[in-house]
Amino acid sequence: MYDRGWSDGLPLVAPTRERVLRMLEGTSRSGDEIVALMPPNLVECTVEKVAVNAVMAGCRPEYLPVVLASLEAICSDEFNMHGILATTMGVGPVLIVNGPIATEIGMNSGVNVLGHGNRANATIGRAVQLVVRNVGGGAPGGIDRATHGSMSKLGFCFTEDEAGSPWTTLAEDRGFDRCVDVVTAFCGEGPRI
């Protein structure tokens, strides 16, 4: 898979038929349903293609709805994923998950929220980036023109500490009820020292 250019440089889980079918059990959506036109090549991206890349990223089936929502967010005109890929700036999608699903799938919102050690946070963001690369054609050195790159290009996904925060959530600030599952995507760089 690495030699075929499907990898982000890290090892991948082989997307066997059985694993992809198991991943598709994480959603009620049909495998042939089109999620979005995936930039930069504007390829029709189906739920099944997303499932294949989610398997490769190491996602569990219950993460698939968040991956799908994240892809819908970054494929909107407002987000402009093609423009993000075409810039030389080292930026990528930052995904913030709100709502009950974050707790249900075990996302980390506390210590080391932007670091290693949480499968949901790491693999959801990675799956999104693999779809952009493998379905949309957004591989580094092609349309992806980032000069230095960024960790946000590998997968930048986390949730807010809704229970421990005295403030309203980002989703609430954007007009959503706290009990609704929401993914907010914005273009961002990795943390700076």
Side-chain angles (χ1 to χ4, degrees), residues 148-169:
H148 294 125
S150 164
M151 290 307 295
S152 62
K153 299 250 185 191
L154 193 56
F156 204 168
C157 179
F158 58 95
T159 185
E160 289 187 76
D161 181 6
E162 294 180 13
S165 175
W167 299 292
T168 57
T169 68

Side-chain angles (χ1 to χ4, degrees), residues 28-180:
S28 59
R29 296 169 74 169
S30 172
D32 61 357
E33 179 184 333
I34 295 172
V35 177
L37 293 177
M38 188 58 52
N41 294 342
L42 299 179
V43 175
E44 288 185 349
C45 179
T46 63
V47 171
E48 182 179 38
K49 288 178 183 177
V50 175
V52 167
N53 284 276
V55 167
M56 291 193 309
C59 286
R60 296 176 59 127
E62 57 266 29
Y63 306 168
L64 188 57
V66 178
V67 175
L68 292 167
S70 298
L71 288 164
E72 289 170 334
I74 69 164
C75 290
S76 66
D77 289 340
E78 296 82 12
F79 190 83
N80 189 15
M81 188 66 205
H82 188 279
I84 290 167
L85 287 166
T87 184
T88 58
M89 185 86 174
V91 295
V94 178
L95 308 169
I96 303 172
V97 180
N98 288 101
I101 197 165
T103 302
E104 291 168 14
I105 65 175
M107 291 188 75
N108 178 19
S109 65
V111 175
N112 202 34
V113 70
L114 301 178
H116 61 284
N118 183 277
R119 183 175 180 176
N121 291 36
T123 61
I124 291 168
R126 184 180 186 207
V128 168
Q129 289 290 4
L130 286 174
V131 172
V132 170
R133 174 192 189 96
N134 295 331
V135 179
I143 296 294
D144 187 342
R145 304 307 299 170
T147 305
H148 294 125
S150 164
M151 290 307 295
S152 62
K153 299 250 185 191
L154 193 56
F156 204 168
C157 179
F158 58 95
T159 185
E160 289 187 76
D161 181 6
E162 294 180 13
S165 175
W167 299 292
T168 57
T169 68
L170 176 62
E172 287 174 306
D173 290 347
R174 297 184 64 239
F176 295 92
D177 189 84
R178 193 175 273 246
C179 66
V180 175

